[in-house]
């Protein structure tokens, strides 16, 4: 069972376990000559046995897209082989292997100079390409807005917001600026304040100091954890106003981060009994339909400019959907200092 391979040049392709440990450049065709032992074996299974360096899902994608020819003709994965066919495969790069592409996306630019860019990210925009979102992300839009960002790791992105969290983000336009901003984040000197609408009425002020790690049973979630892999996390909060939605009490909270862990505000507030309105992941399912996303907005950002050394601060007004939610809760006249 020895296949004939031509121009097979392996390359590195490391992902989260769903893809292959090795890959072949798209320009390198693979030619196989089947032997009688494959008589009656489905095409997809035969290729999985012969091309063990590729995942079954990757091979199936190539078959479905017509990049696998059996005796010069496209074939379906479940087609049984006779055992004497010549198969030609044209490997295609997976999206995560391809260079990130510039895309013309609308960016709400709050501030821009030679060193940094401050964006007011809308809800629904993914920050960085990942599984299920290889295009249409903030990173793609940044590369179109400033092609030179292709030379900066992660196109200058130094921190992220969840897809459905709106608000302010800073982007570095040079490696030097990025290094400085990362150091500020590590030193916890970057000022990041959020507005969150939660179910219930927390005390007027408080502090949650609880490490956050991966949820022990649901790998999509984060959770307050005492596991050794959990990372320290601190959130300060202040209740600004109260109201009600469908007869249930809600509170508008100002949250300030000392750290920036994944889902930090959502996890910390939920851990003390005050989940975010509209949160589909951590909230109660029967309440999530009130608002189509978690009610969380990064409204204030402060930092030291990486070149001038000046203290800078920006505010982002609430987006229309969040303002409408506050009006529904009877808090349309609330002012935020």
């Amino acid at each position: 069972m020895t296949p004939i391979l031509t121009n097979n040049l392996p390359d590195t392709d490391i992902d989260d376990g769903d893809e292959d440990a090795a890959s072949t450049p798209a320009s390198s065709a693979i030619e196989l000559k089947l032997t009688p032992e494959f008589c009656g074996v489905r095409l997809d299974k035969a290729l999985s046995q012969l091309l063990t360096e590729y995942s079954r899902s990757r091979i199936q994608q190539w078959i479905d897209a017509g990049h696998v020819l059996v005796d010069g003709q496209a074939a379906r994965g479940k087609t049984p082989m006779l055992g004497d066919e010549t198969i030609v495969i044209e490997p295609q790069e997976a999206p995560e292997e391809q260079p990130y592409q510039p895309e013309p996306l609308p960016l709400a630019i709050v501030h821009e100079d030679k060193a940094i860019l401050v964006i007011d990210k809308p809800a629904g925009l993914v920050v960085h390409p990942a599984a299920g979102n290889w295009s249409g992300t903030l990173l793609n839009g940044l590369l179109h807005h400033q092609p030179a960002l292709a030379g900066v790791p992660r196109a200058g992105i130094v921190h992220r917001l969840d897809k459905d969290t709106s608000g302010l983000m800073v982007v570095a336009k040079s490696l030097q600026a990025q290094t400085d901003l990362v150091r500020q984040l590590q030193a916890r000197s970057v000022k990041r304040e959020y507005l969150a609408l939660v179910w219930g009425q927390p005390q007027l002020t408080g502090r949650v100091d609880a490490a956050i790690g991966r949820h022990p049973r649901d790998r999509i979630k984060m959770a307050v954890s005492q596991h050794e892999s959990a990372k320290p996390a601190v959130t300060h909060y202040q209740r600004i106003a109260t109201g009600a939605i469908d007869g249930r009490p809600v509170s508008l909270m100002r949250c300030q981060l000392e750290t920036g862990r994944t889902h930090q505000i959502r996890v910390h507030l939920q851990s003390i009994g005050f989940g975010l309105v509209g949160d589909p992941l951590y909230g109660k399912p029967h309440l999530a339909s009130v608002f189509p996303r978690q009610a969380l907005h990064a409204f204030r950002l402060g930092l030291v400019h990486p070149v001038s050394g000046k203290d800078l601060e920006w505010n982002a007004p609430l987006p229309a959907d969040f303002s409408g939610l506050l009006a529904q809760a009877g808090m349309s006249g609330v002012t935020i200092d």
Side-chain angles (χ1 to χ4, degrees):
M1 188 172 69
T2 304
I4 301 172
L5 303 181
T6 62
N7 299 325
N8 190 6
L9 302 176
D11 191 13
T12 302
D13 173 22
I14 300 175
D15 200 356
D16 293 331
D18 185 50
E19 293 298 342
D20 315 301
S23 66
T24 301
S27 60
S28 301
I30 301 173
E31 183 175 322
L32 305 174
K33 179 65 177 179
L34 294 187
T35 52
E37 61 206 88
F38 286 100
C39 181
V41 179
R42 289 170 38 146
L43 171 62
D44 53 2
K45 291 186 177 180
L47 292 182
S48 293
Q49 293 178 39
L50 293 171
L51 302 176
T52 56
E53 67 268 37
Y54 299 105
S55 67
R56 286 177 293 178
S57 63
R58 178 75 67 86
I59 291 171
Q60 189 62 55
Q61 289 170 4
W62 294 340
I63 294 173
D64 294 342
H67 297 299
V68 176
L69 301 180
V70 178
D71 290 335
Q73 301 294 321
R76 301 173 65 186
K78 63 181 181 180
T79 302
M81 298 291 98
L82 297 177
D84 62 353
E85 294 88 346
T86 297
I87 303 176
V88 177
I89 305 104
E90 295 183 356
Q92 305 296 306
E93 289 182 331
E96 66 272 18
E97 296 173 313
Q98 301 171 6
Y100 298 132
Q101 300 299 314
E103 296 179 40
L105 301 176
L107 300 177
I109 298 174
V110 176
H111 170 87
E112 183 173 14
D113 57 42
K114 292 182 179 180
I116 63 173
L117 183 68
V118 178
I119 302 288
D120 186 358
K121 187 189 86 69
L125 179 63
V126 174
V127 171
H128 195 281
N133 294 285
W134 294 114
S135 62
T137 70
L138 174 61
L139 184 145
N140 299 111
L142 289 171
L143 291 176
H144 181 269
H145 173 75
Q146 186 70 47
L149 286 173
V152 184
R154 298 178 301 281
I157 294 171
V158 296
H159 66 116
R160 304 185 189 185
L161 294 177
D162 295 338
K163 174 185 176 181
D164 289 324
T165 296
S166 56
L168 296 171
M169 291 182 56
V170 62
V171 176
K173 296 176 70 174
S174 70
L175 180 58
Q176 292 78 10
Q178 187 179 51
T179 300
D180 186 88
L181 291 173
V182 168
R183 287 173 178 167
Q184 290 187 49
L185 286 164
Q186 292 172 340
R188 303 185 183 183
S189 61
V190 175
K191 183 179 183 180
R192 289 172 291 171
E193 293 189 38
Y194 295 71
L195 294 175
L197 191 69
V198 303
W199 295 107
Q201 293 185 1
Q203 62 188 35
L204 285 175
T205 62
R207 178 176 182 265
V208 182
D209 184 350
I212 291 177
R214 188 66 60 182
H215 193 285
R217 294 180 300 277
D218 189 339
R219 305 305 294 172
I220 297 177
K221 290 184 176 182
M222 306 300 289
V224 167
S225 172
Q226 295 182 346
H227 191 274
E228 60 182 12
S229 63
K231 297 180 179 180
V234 179
T235 303
H236 301 266
Y237 64 86
Q238 175 189 5
R239 195 179 77 207
I240 297 175
T242 58
I245 295 178
D246 296 336
R248 297 176 179 272
V250 293
S251 299
L252 181 63
M253 311 293 292
R254 180 207 303 267
C255 300
Q256 184 170 350
L257 299 182
E258 280 191 26
T259 55
R261 308 307 178 198
T262 301
H263 301 171
Q264 179 173 322
I265 291 175
R266 299 163 68 185
V267 170
H268 270 176
L269 292 182
Q270 187 270 343
S271 74
I272 60 173
F274 302 100
L276 268 65
V277 173
D279 192 336
L281 188 61
Y282 298 99
K284 297 179 180 179
H286 68 285
L287 297 177
S289 61
V290 171
F291 195 54
R293 65 179 180 96
Q294 64 263 12
L296 187 61
H297 176 66
F299 83 102
R300 181 168 293 157
L301 175 67
L303 51 84
V304 176
H305 192 278
V307 175
S308 70
K310 293 182 178 179
D311 291 322
L312 300 177
E313 187 174 285
W314 301 272
N315 293 322
L318 281 173
D321 64 343
F322 205 134
S323 294
L325 181 64
L326 292 186
Q328 181 183 349
M331 291 186 275
S332 55
V334 173
T335 58
I336 291 100
D337 296 331

